[in-house]
Amino acid sequence: FFRTLGMAPRLGAGFADATDATRDVASVVLGHALWQRQFGADPRIVGQDLILEGRSHRVLGVMGAEFDFLGTEFWVPLQPDRGADRGDHWLAMIGRLRDGVTLEQAGQDLRAIAAVLGEQHATNAGWGVELLPFDRWLVDDSFRQTLHLLFAAVGALLLMACVNLANLLFVRNQRRRAELGLRAALGAGRLQLARLMVVEVLVLVGLGVLLALPLAQLAIALFKQQAVSSIPRLHEVQIAPDVFAFSAAVGLLTGVLLALLPVWQAQRTEPCESLRQGERHGVPAAQRRLGDCLVVAQVALALVLLVGAGLLASSFLQLRQSDPGFDPEQLLGAELQLGDRYAEPWQKVVFLNTLEERLESVPGVLSASASSILPFSGGSLMNDVTPTDRVAEVQRSGLLQAHWRAVTPEFFATVGLPLLRGRLFDASDRWDGPRLVVLSRTLAERLWPGRDPVGRELHWGDTRGRTRIVAGVVGDYQDVQLGAAPEPVMFLPYNQLPWPTMTLLVRGRGDPDALMAAVRDEIRALDPTLAVAGLRPLRQQVADAMAVPRLRTLLLGGFALVALLLAAIGSYGVMSANVVQRRLELGLRIALGAPPQSLVSLLLSRGAGLAATGLLIGLVAAWPLARLLQGLLYGTSPLEPLAPVVGALLLAMTVLLASYLPARRAARLDPMFALRSN
């Protein structure tokens, strides 16, 4: 394992390098964090024995701090079991390709091996192999798609910021034509003018960069506090110097280029003409159209982000309201590993029965039970299921794959899973009695469509061996992926399948946090050596399951709000400059008796025209984005009209408000002041 990953222990040796004296004993390799936390970073730990799950293990080595493999803190050798069910696909294989071998070639070889295994073992018939690059296995496609989406949103926001800066500096520079003409007339050369303008912009942008650094650090700190561990490599998120340098360089470059533009214009214009014109004749039509185009671009980009954020927000709300088939509120969950101290099956059954009885006597506890899977932990157990009356129709591996859970009798009452037909498990079901099973509604309909499954028999695993009898049917149950369509699930009585890794589920009357200490005390009173992992309210598991959708919704929503603000600032700047440039015209209109409302309407018409053009372009640009988001949406169509309609209305109101403020100021203009100033 360690050699395949190209790593070696910092202290001691790995499993492949174990000496003859330690090769045949139970051994362990410790992670660096565990070594520091539990053993005080003692280098003499190598060769010593420690207790894991009630069994002595010898420490072979300690990994370095740089080796962080999915949060694992120690490793033990895999112990193959020839008697294990070959249908239990629970191992993850990791390989390293030889030089010159492609992923496709290796995949063909492994598929050929899988075909041979299928011929040798009926349980493996029909199974293939999917080879993934390690980085795709480490960070799945859903989260990768989220990162691409956010990267595109950041790019759009950066472009908007540059457009806004360009717009504001463009307006500012137009008002300095007379000043630049005067400086040129007094002998200032192109280099001196360029240095003056660049220094001014560098001071402006530099202050923004300095302000951005602490704001970015604060944002990352807040993000880490609100996020959860299910987000890959979250603890490594920090301000990357190259990314920050790139963002700052883009801002500085934009500012420098815009600062040099008026210098280039001044060199093309006679100083006397610049002094004579000043601001009197306004801005040339071509330059005014450029400013309008910048506003249109901002509105269009802002609408694209608003539509994307609206679709993700609608999807997230639908996901929060999705029904997993049970009520996670007021539920506590804790993972228990019943190791070597409970080697005999009856020991596991007695321990859980005793623990449930003790917990149900605790004040505030309504019921307690156990399941072989912690809901929304990302894991599952699956196997083939085949009705006995359909064996002749299918291959020996089975009819279909179904999730399965080993549960104690009180499980259904604890999670609130309703009985639809037949009966549930109870204390009278003996471990050596009829082999029973309870099916979810979806599984029952797939196995016996349109027929009552109670009392019928099925094969669990391949189509040979003993069968199981359907005792009852319950509602659909989804504990793997929140918001996913109902999948086939079967429940097995725990006393007939004592699984070593179980999740304790406790339902209380009030806040489950208040029961955590009592639950932990009862477990320790029954077995002080038993490790209790992940004891917490199940609503936190649900929150973790929604972590990535919540992340992309919050971030894209935040970007959309910033884009809305930038669009408002840009529109306000252009309209304010328009009022200044048309001051003489507006003064004449007022002097000739034009009512203030007509001036406001005149100026607002330009803002409305720019907004309408930007919205139209934004709606067209948002269409491909909505299609790209389709794989990330739950219960929401990318063609849903609510998001673009609300986004367009919000953006139109913002732009019109930003245009109305300068227009209202123009309506109060003193005509004598306007005529004298020109």
Side-chain angles (χ1 to χ4, degrees), residues 569-587:
I569 294 174
S571 302
Y572 179 82
V574 168
M575 296 307 297
S576 295
N578 183 42
V579 170
V580 173
Q581 293 157 7
R582 300 177 65 177
R583 190 164 49 198
L584 176 60
E585 173 197 346
L586 297 175

Side-chain angles (χ1 to χ4, degrees), residues 208-233:
V209 170
L210 292 177
L211 180 61
L213 186 59
L215 287 178
Q217 291 175 329
L218 177 62
I220 289 177
L222 293 175
F223 167 67
K224 287 184 176 181
Q225 290 178 1
Q226 298 298 321
V228 296
S229 58
S230 59
I231 298 177
R233 311 184 76 86

Side-chain angles (χ1 to χ4, degrees), residues 137-410:
W137 178 74
L138 193 63
V139 180
D140 62 30
D141 290 343
S142 174
F143 193 82
R144 193 180 299 272
Q145 190 176 3
T146 296
L147 293 181
H148 291 164
L149 170 66
L150 296 178
F151 184 78
V154 169
L157 204 61
L158 182 61
L159 180 60
M160 283 194 65
C162 292
V163 168
N164 214 334
L165 178 64
N167 210 347
L168 296 177
L169 289 179
F170 170 76
V171 173
R172 179 174 179 268
N173 291 335
Q174 290 303 319
R175 301 180 62 182
R176 301 185 65 182
R177 286 184 300 167
E179 174 196 342
L180 294 176
L182 178 60
R183 290 179 181 272
L186 294 176
R190 179 180 300 180
L191 183 61
Q192 291 174 305
L193 292 177
R195 186 169 60 244
L196 170 67
M197 302 299 291
V198 168
V199 168
E200 290 180 354
V201 172
L202 287 180
V203 171
L204 178 67
V205 178
L207 291 175
V209 170
L210 292 177
L211 180 61
L213 186 59
L215 287 178
Q217 291 175 329
L218 177 62
I220 289 177
L222 293 175
F223 167 67
K224 287 184 176 181
Q225 290 178 1
Q226 298 298 321
V228 296
S229 58
S230 59
I231 298 177
R233 311 184 76 86
L234 175 65
H235 62 284
E236 298 180 14
V237 173
Q238 59 184 349
I239 298 179
D242 52 347
V243 174
F244 186 79
F246 168 77
S247 303
V250 170
L252 292 172
L253 181 61
T254 303
V256 169
L257 292 177
L258 293 172
L260 294 178
L261 180 61
V263 178
W264 176 73
Q265 290 177 332
Q267 294 297 323
R268 297 182 60 192
T269 307
E270 290 296 330
C272 292
E273 182 180 352
S274 297
L275 288 171
R276 184 172 56 254
Q277 290 181 354
E279 297 180 13
R280 185 178 303 274
H281 298 289
V283 180
Q287 297 180 9
R288 187 168 60 250
R289 285 195 295 269
L290 176 60
D292 292 346
C293 289
L294 294 178
V295 173
V296 169
Q298 288 189 80
V299 172
L301 287 172
L303 182 59
V304 170
L305 291 179
L306 283 170
V307 171
L311 289 174
L312 289 179
S314 176
S315 173
F316 181 70
L317 291 176
Q318 293 288 338
L319 183 63
R320 288 192 61 180
Q321 297 171 2
S322 62
D323 182 15
F326 66 99
D327 182 13
E329 293 295 325
Q330 299 178 326
L331 270 179
L332 272 178
E335 296 178 272
L336 305 177
Q337 180 69 35
L338 304 181
D340 292 344
R341 287 172 55 88
Y342 304 92
E344 297 296 329
W346 65 267
Q347 293 176 313
K348 300 181 180 66
V349 175
V350 170
F351 172 81
L352 279 182
N353 287 343
T354 306
L355 179 59
E356 290 178 7
E357 291 176 0
R358 294 176 64 109
L359 288 173
E360 289 178 353
S361 65
V362 173
V365 173
L366 292 176
S367 64
S369 63
S371 169
S372 52
I373 287 295
L374 174 65
F376 308 117
S377 61
S380 185
L381 297 167
M382 299 186 70
N383 213 332
D384 296 290
V385 181
T386 308
T388 55
D389 54 3
R390 300 180 64 180
V391 169
E393 306 174 16
V394 300
Q395 57 186 358
R396 291 180 61 185
S397 60
L399 175 65
L400 58 85
Q401 282 271 308
H403 300 271
W404 63 267
R405 306 287 181 262
V407 299
T408 57
E410 291 298 320

Side-chain angles (χ1 to χ4, degrees), residues 589-675:
R589 288 178 180 272
I590 295 175
L592 294 175
Q597 294 80 1
S598 64
L599 298 182
V600 173
S601 300
L602 175 66
L603 295 173
L604 274 181
S605 62
R606 184 185 179 195
L610 296 178
T613 305
L615 292 176
L616 181 61
I617 297 175
L619 287 174
V620 174
W623 165 255
L625 172 66
R627 301 295 297 179
L628 290 175
L629 288 177
Q630 186 170 8
L632 301 176
L633 300 178
Y634 168 76
T636 302
S637 169
L639 302 179
E640 181 179 285
L642 183 61
V645 169
V646 172
L649 289 176
L650 181 61
L651 191 55
M653 292 172 58
T654 302
V655 173
L656 289 178
L657 178 61
S659 303
Y660 172 74
L661 296 177
R664 187 183 64 173
R665 188 171 64 247
R668 300 174 180 175
L669 187 67
D670 183 356
M672 296 303 296
F673 171 78
L675 295 174

